[in-house]
Amino acid sequence: MFLDTVLTRNPGLVDAAAALHRNGEIPPDTYVVDLDAVEANAKLLAAEAERLGLSLWFVVKQLGRNPELIRAIARHIPRSAAIDPAEARTLHAAGAQPGNLGHLVQIPRRALPEMLAWRPETVTVFDLANARAVSDAARELGFVQGVLIRLEGADGAVYPGQEGGVPLGRLDAFAKEAEALDGIRIAGVTAFPCVLCDPGTGVPAATPNFGLALRARELLAARGHHDLKLSAPSATSMASLPLLAELGATHGEPGHALTGTTPLHALDPAQPEMPAYVYVSEVAHTLDDGRPAIFGGGFYTRSHIRSALLPRTGTRLGVQKAPAENIDYYRLLDAPARAADARIGDTALLAFRTQIFVTRSTVAVVSGLASGNPRLNGLYDAHGRAL
């Protein structure tokens, strides 16, 4: 999906990744991430958000919750949005300030005292029971916690497994009960996804969920709530920040923009964010019909992979589709024109949309590419633990 963009915009990353694998410094099933490019992207996004009067909470699930990358991003975007408790702990340990907790996954009730003690800016709640749990925990800690009300998404605009939230038609009744809880205050609203990229053009556009969030904020304002936040996550990038500001959001949550891997970046290499990672595999064996099999472990069902580059011969081979329900022990490539173009042990480089935290991959953080002095900073697992 992003291979042409990476080759055009960040060829040094491709060369460094190939050399690291060829020299045995990284194994197959490794994402190689350009630390300097990630930090440069964070700096760009922070400056544009400030120009537009927006605030940002950064997300790192797609980066493998890596502490080096977290620290680099936080130098420019200090506050984060943690999608689940494991990510919240990793972000906290790496020194990022908690912007929003409970972003996609609610904080388990028994973990609330630990995480509220970090004094997050907001906590997202999906229902009244979670609002009560946050209120009770905050009251025990001696303060009032700001909460974002998650809106139930519009029909057809919610991903499976991410259902939940307060229906707009019941928001008034929800707010009345939440206002009676003395450990929380209503700080704003959110929904997911609020922005998506058009499949054909890559251009970001608001989803119906954005409209729901806007109407919800108006309803809460009519109840006397002021300075309400509206976080509009998904596809937050240099291209979508003006849209967020124009429609009235207060917060964006950049994730893939930090690595230059939104769907728009696949179609338009001239986007400001630099592509910042490649996936490294290796030819494991060849089928009798000539198709090479490369090692798996890091493939993602919504990755939109198209081709792989074999640097030894410069061969580009198509990547064959695989059923989402199968374990990705291997991934098959199209058969090369000549058998010698792909042999056992050859490096294979790919670039596609990923969520590293759901893989079993290694993450290699590199720096110094722009100066011509590449350095392997370290190896981590897919959850940010040093190897």
Side-chain angles (χ1 to χ4, degrees), residues 226-309:
H226 304 291
D227 300 320
L228 291 166
K229 296 176 173 62
L230 193 163
S231 185
S234 190
T236 303
S237 67
M238 292 290 284
S240 67
L241 285 174
L243 175 68
L244 266 61
E246 177 186 349
L247 293 180
T250 62
H251 287 69
E253 301 182 12
H256 277 285
L258 296 165
T259 49
T261 52
T262 75
L264 180 56
H265 290 85
L267 298 171
D268 182 7
Q271 285 299 301
E273 298 96 333
M274 177 77 75
Y277 67 74
V278 293
Y279 181 66
V280 178
S281 187
E282 174 183 319
V283 177
H285 60 275
T286 303
L287 276 63
D288 190 58
D289 60 12
R291 288 177 294 167
I294 60 174
F295 290 107
F299 294 105
Y300 174 61
T301 55
R302 293 194 290 146
S303 56
H304 303 289
I305 307 171
R306 297 196 182 103
S307 65
L309 171 67

Side-chain angles (χ1 to χ4, degrees), residues 2-363:
F2 300 107
L3 189 54
D4 289 330
T5 302
V6 177
L7 288 166
T8 300
R9 293 287 307 282
N10 199 349
L13 173 59
V14 176
D15 293 341
L20 287 169
H21 179 257
R22 183 173 61 248
N23 298 335
E25 295 181 73
I26 61 173
D29 183 24
T30 294
Y31 285 94
V32 181
V33 186
D34 182 345
L35 174 69
D36 300 329
V38 170
E39 181 163 3
N41 291 338
K43 185 176 181 180
L44 272 177
L45 290 159
E48 178 68 354
E50 183 177 13
R51 184 185 75 81
L52 294 167
L54 293 167
S55 297
L56 297 179
W57 294 322
F58 71 92
V59 179
V60 292
K61 61 190 174 75
Q62 74 288 345
L63 297 176
R65 300 166 172 168
N66 187 275
E68 284 196 73
L69 300 174
I70 290 169
R71 287 190 288 269
I73 296 164
R75 283 193 280 271
H76 307 280
I77 306 173
R79 292 189 177 274
S80 63
I83 67 130
D84 63 18
E87 186 157 297
R89 291 187 177 100
T90 303
L91 286 159
H92 178 69
Q97 297 175 35
N100 184 28
L101 305 183
H103 165 66
L104 290 180
V105 179
Q106 292 290 269
I107 303 171
R109 181 172 57 82
R110 294 169 184 83
L112 281 167
E114 170 199 1
M115 295 186 181
L116 294 190
W118 305 337
R119 298 306 300 268
E121 189 175 350
T122 60
V123 173
T124 294
V125 293
F126 282 49
D127 60 16
L128 195 58
N130 275 277
R132 288 195 184 101
V134 172
S135 177
D136 291 345
R139 189 176 63 250
E140 287 293 318
L141 291 167
F143 61 86
V144 176
Q145 175 64 55
V147 298
L148 294 184
I149 302 171
R150 159 73 174 255
L151 277 301
E152 181 181 71
D155 288 344
V158 178
Y159 295 119
Q162 297 183 23
E163 299 88 354
V166 179
L168 184 65
R170 295 193 60 251
L171 180 59
D172 196 64
F174 178 94
K176 183 178 181 180
E177 294 201 54
E179 289 159 2
L181 301 173
D182 55 8
I184 62 170
R185 62 176 178 83
I186 296 174
V189 296
T190 189
F192 189 87
C194 286
V195 177
L196 289 177
C197 294
D198 181 272
T201 66
V203 174
T207 72
N209 296 335
F210 206 140
L212 288 176
L214 289 168
R215 292 199 293 276
R217 185 169 62 178
E218 291 173 359
L219 189 153
L220 293 172
R223 292 187 62 87
H225 297 280
H226 304 291
D227 300 320
L228 291 166
K229 296 176 173 62
L230 193 163
S231 185
S234 190
T236 303
S237 67
M238 292 290 284
S240 67
L241 285 174
L243 175 68
L244 266 61
E246 177 186 349
L247 293 180
T250 62
H251 287 69
E253 301 182 12
H256 277 285
L258 296 165
T259 49
T261 52
T262 75
L264 180 56
H265 290 85
L267 298 171
D268 182 7
Q271 285 299 301
E273 298 96 333
M274 177 77 75
Y277 67 74
V278 293
Y279 181 66
V280 178
S281 187
E282 174 183 319
V283 177
H285 60 275
T286 303
L287 276 63
D288 190 58
D289 60 12
R291 288 177 294 167
I294 60 174
F295 290 107
F299 294 105
Y300 174 61
T301 55
R302 293 194 290 146
S303 56
H304 303 289
I305 307 171
R306 297 196 182 103
S307 65
L309 171 67
L310 306 183
R312 181 182 64 83
T313 58
T315 303
R316 286 278 291 269
L317 298 176
V319 179
Q320 300 193 345
K321 292 184 179 180
E325 63 269 20
N326 284 21
I327 298 172
D328 64 329
Y329 298 110
Y330 303 101
R331 196 66 181 264
L332 291 175
L333 307 182
D334 293 340
R338 302 177 305 160
D341 287 340
R343 67 189 185 198
I344 302 304
D346 274 352
T347 303
L349 296 180
L350 306 91
F352 49 83
R353 187 172 176 85
T354 189
Q355 298 284 344
I356 294 176
F357 83 113
V358 300
T359 73
R360 55 186 188 275
S361 302
T362 298
V363 176

